[in-house]
Amino acid sequence: MSLPDILQNEPGVSLLRDGIWGTEISIRGLNRENIITLIDGSRIATSTDVAARLSLINLNDIERVEVIKGASSSIYGSGATGGIVNIITKSPQLYDKLSLSGNIIGEYNSVNDLSVFAGSIYSGSSFWSTKLSGSYRKANNTQTPNGELKNSQFEDYSFSGALNIFPIDNHRLKIDYQLFRADDVCIPGASVFPNTADVRYPFERRELISAGYEIQNISKTFYKLSAKYSYQLINREVENIPYIVQNIPASGGNPARRVSVLKITPSADHKNNNATLQGNFWLFDSHNLAAGFDYWDRSYNGERERYQLIEVLDSLGNVVSTTNQITGEIPVPDSKYRSLGIFAQDEFKLFDDRLSTTLGLRYDFINIAAEKTLNPVYTITNGVLNTNPPNQNVLWDSTDTNNSSYSANLGFIYSIFSSLDLTLGLGSSFRSPSLEERFQYIDQGSVVRVGNPELKPEKGQSVDFGIRYYSDNLKILSSFFYSHFNDLVVEVPGTYEGRNALIKTNIGEARIYGFDF
């Protein structure tokens, strides 16, 4: 069970599965790059193909999950053209006197011999509180009606801690730490790899540390000021054994060769910084205004090694000589994505409080910078390193690009009766393409997947109309939506350096419409 398994029961949310352990979601036809994922207000961003970012979380530590569909919020930052998933973890509570409590959870699932152990300890008093929690999971290959699903085992564990201190009335200092690590996570038949390949994560880790300070009841008008900073590191290692063997016939005086790709090992570090300063105000006795600044950046540093066995053959197909070669590549340049935003969102009521209105505005300045990248970076032939191989070329030149954006949302909830509401949401969204979409280079043998540094930002407009009915025994939620996008980023077939390629491209327009019930 993962977080996407739970969220798929929400109308308009669909499960995307890359194996047993790695899962993602789609919101109304848009996914991954179009959905902002936050944990306690900090973005989780990593490589996109088999990102599995929603699997890097301890389910037992989640208090609640907020899902916002479409471009309906100006507070959470640019890029949410498809929606927002905000995960809030459990927080320790204050007690009248010194207290200590806890829980232990155990679980077993016979379909894959899954064993789960988790537990939490809470303690505190009238001016401080703490939480310590952890989990451990291990599973073997999953058994299906058609037999064993090979390469589906996994093992992971997590630890988190939180400390709240209330030094004086209306002041709170909060410090959080989260660690999630996975070892030997296998990916059976993932969509971006050949079905015959054995693919796994030998190691994957997410580590977050954050500190926030909050002041409440400053005045009747200015009722809250909050500041928060977080640093998050995500390490990813992949091992792909593709079982690819290529026979190259003799030609031009060159002997016949048999080239076996033994394994491919991409790895990357993703470093994220988040900082927010926000004030909350009561204006004119009915307006609840939230306004502030936020900053977010993501640094990428990655590499990939390709292990090959090259066998020279004679005319009878016998092996004459063998060469072991490791080729070092950089699939995405060392690069950085920075976003600085200013936002304001006002909530107020009209017509004797029957009409609730939300108006949000946001401006973002975005900078994308990448270093010059060579391909290949080096080769190691029978143990001899060569940093200037004969086929080396410049894959990407250094890049420094700026984008700026305006986004807005306007929402209405009108209460016809106490049990019946009408809702209307209007949104204008903007998304600057990611580092992978701009600079990706993945050689999959028969085809290469190539980014495009010249991609234009996506822009979208959306309308959402809903009817909600509540009673003691029945709840009905329905919503009709329409979204219109310009310059949506997709992959289209083409050629790159004479080879078949899938190239990131802006398409002219896209329209997505439907309903949730």
Side-chain angles (χ1 to χ4, degrees):
M1 178 68 72
S2 65
L3 181 59
D5 288 307
I6 299 171
L7 293 179
Q8 70 172 330
N9 296 319
E10 177 72 18
V13 176
S14 302
L15 176 67
L16 303 177
R17 187 175 290 283
D18 285 319
I20 301 300
W21 184 87
T23 49
E24 273 279 356
I25 63 168
S26 167
I27 298 179
R28 292 176 172 175
L30 295 173
N31 53 55
R32 289 178 179 163
E33 289 296 348
N34 301 90
I35 299 171
I36 290 178
T37 302
L38 305 156
I39 182 163
D40 294 328
S42 300
R43 292 197 187 205
I44 304 177
T46 179
S47 299
T48 56
D49 288 329
V50 188
R53 56 185 176 176
L54 293 179
S55 300
L56 295 169
I57 299 162
N58 177 11
L59 279 179
N60 298 300
D61 201 32
I62 295 176
E63 179 71 33
R64 68 182 188 278
V65 180
E66 300 172 348
V67 178
I68 300 176
K69 304 171 189 175
S72 55
S73 175
S74 297
I75 292 180
Y76 290 113
S78 64
T81 50
I84 295 162
V85 177
N86 187 24
I87 303 157
I88 296 96
T89 60
K90 296 176 181 178
S91 180
Q93 304 297 315
L94 290 179
Y95 299 90
D96 294 333
K97 59 182 180 180
L98 182 63
S99 299
L100 178 68
S101 63
N103 61 70
I104 298 175
I105 298 171
E107 179 183 342
Y108 175 77
N109 193 329
S110 62
V111 73
N112 58 353
D113 288 329
L114 171 65
S115 299
V116 179
F117 302 95
S120 301
I121 299 175
Y122 298 88
S123 63
S125 68
S126 59
F127 66 92
W128 66 272
S129 60
T130 64
K131 176 198 73 174
L132 296 174
S133 65
S135 69
Y136 173 79
R137 302 189 304 171
K138 185 173 183 179
N140 295 321
N141 288 338
T142 298
Q143 303 299 320
T144 75
N146 295 322
E148 181 179 271
L149 180 60
K150 294 183 178 181
N151 204 44
S152 59
Q153 74 270 21
F154 65 86
E155 181 178 12
D156 61 40
Y157 62 85
S158 70
F159 170 80
S160 65
L163 171 64
N164 287 333
I165 300 175
F166 296 80
I168 57 177
D169 288 344
N170 299 317
H171 286 241
R172 181 179 73 161
L173 170 66
K174 184 177 182 181
I175 300 174
D176 284 285
Y177 175 78
Q178 298 174 13
L179 171 65
F180 190 100
R181 173 169 169 165
D183 295 308
D184 193 29
V185 173
C186 294
I187 310 170
S191 57
V192 297
F193 300 105
N195 288 331
T196 56
D198 286 339
V199 185
R200 69 187 187 100
Y201 295 122
F203 172 77
E204 184 156 4
R205 179 181 69 169
R206 181 183 67 86
E207 190 171 16
L208 169 70
I209 185 168
S210 66
Y213 199 86
E214 183 179 287
I215 307 173
Q216 295 194 27
N217 302 321
I218 301 170
S219 70
K220 184 178 179 180
T221 300
F222 186 11
Y223 70 89
K224 186 167 72 172
L225 175 66
S226 58
K228 184 179 179 180
Y229 167 77
S230 68
Y231 171 77
Q232 187 167 215
L233 171 64
I234 298 177
N235 309 109
R236 301 181 70 240
E237 295 181 3
V238 181
E239 181 183 76
N240 174 14
I241 302 176
Y243 300 107
I244 294 176
V245 178
Q246 183 180 12
N247 291 297
I248 303 174
S251 65
N254 294 316
R257 289 169 294 162
R258 181 167 60 220
V259 179
S260 303
V261 181
L262 304 180
K263 64 178 178 178
I264 305 170
T265 58
S267 63
D269 293 339
H270 308 263
K271 301 175 182 177
N272 298 269
N273 290 280
N274 288 261
T276 303
L277 177 66
Q278 179 175 317
N280 294 77
F281 308 85
W282 279 111
L283 303 176
F284 313 114
D285 296 326
S286 62
H287 290 256
N288 185 3
L289 175 67
F293 302 86
D294 60 27
Y295 171 80
W296 172 70
D297 70 42
R298 173 192 171 206
S299 297
Y300 173 96
N301 301 96
E303 62 181 5
R304 177 176 59 215
E305 287 189 324
R306 183 185 301 269
Y307 293 73
Q308 292 176 305
L309 174 64
I310 304 171
E311 300 170 300
V312 177
L313 309 176
D314 61 17
S315 58
L316 299 177
N318 299 313
V319 177
V320 177
S321 64
T322 61
T323 300
N324 286 284
Q325 181 169 290
I326 303 172
T327 303
E329 305 167 328
I330 296 181
V332 176
D334 289 349
S335 47
K336 195 163 190 174
Y337 186 111
R338 303 178 182 92
S339 177
L340 177 64
I342 179 173
F343 60 87
Q345 184 160 291
D346 186 22
E347 299 178 3
F348 55 96
K349 294 187 177 182
L350 300 170
F351 307 120
D352 296 326
D353 293 342
R354 295 175 72 109
L355 178 64
S356 299
T357 305
T358 301
L359 172 63
L361 299 171
R362 183 179 183 90
Y363 172 80
D364 286 277
F365 175 78
I366 298 166
N367 173 259
I368 301 99
E371 297 181 4
K372 179 181 176 180
T373 304
L374 300 176
N375 181 53
V377 182
Y378 59 84
T379 58
I380 302 175
T381 304
N382 290 333
V384 178
L385 173 65
N386 183 2
T387 58
N388 189 26
N391 57 339
Q392 188 178 71
N393 57 46
V394 176
L395 180 61
W396 305 114
D397 287 315
S398 60
T399 301
D400 197 311
T401 302
N402 296 322
N403 292 148
S404 59
S405 73
Y406 294 93
S407 54
N409 60 277
L410 178 62
F412 301 98
I413 301 176
Y414 184 74
S415 296
I416 300 177
F417 307 109
S418 59
S419 60
L420 182 63
D421 296 336
L422 300 179
T423 65
L424 177 65
L426 307 173
S428 176
S429 58
F430 174 98
R431 187 181 76 85
S432 181
S434 69
L435 298 176
E436 286 79 11
E437 289 172 323
R438 294 174 184 272
F439 306 115
Q440 186 179 67
Y441 181 86
I442 297 179
D443 188 345
Q444 295 184 320
S446 60
V447 66
V448 292
R449 302 177 63 207
V450 185
N452 181 358
E454 305 301 322
L455 287 173
K456 295 180 287 186
E458 297 177 347
K459 297 180 180 179
Q461 295 79 40
S462 61
V463 180
D464 188 302
F465 173 74
I467 302 174
R468 308 189 308 189
Y469 174 78
Y470 301 91
S471 71
D472 293 338
N473 301 314
L474 178 66
K475 180 173 70 173
I476 298 175
L477 305 177
S478 63
S479 182
F480 300 84
F481 60 89
Y482 176 90
S483 298
H484 181 261
F485 295 97
N486 290 306
D487 297 319
L488 204 65
V489 177
V490 299
E491 282 186 331
V492 298
T495 58
Y496 182 83
E497 297 182 344
R499 298 184 57 189
N500 293 330
L502 295 173
I503 303 171
K504 300 290 193 302
T505 307
N506 293 108
I507 60 175
E509 293 180 288
R511 291 177 296 274
I512 298 177
Y513 49 91
F515 68 90
D516 306 332
F517 181 81

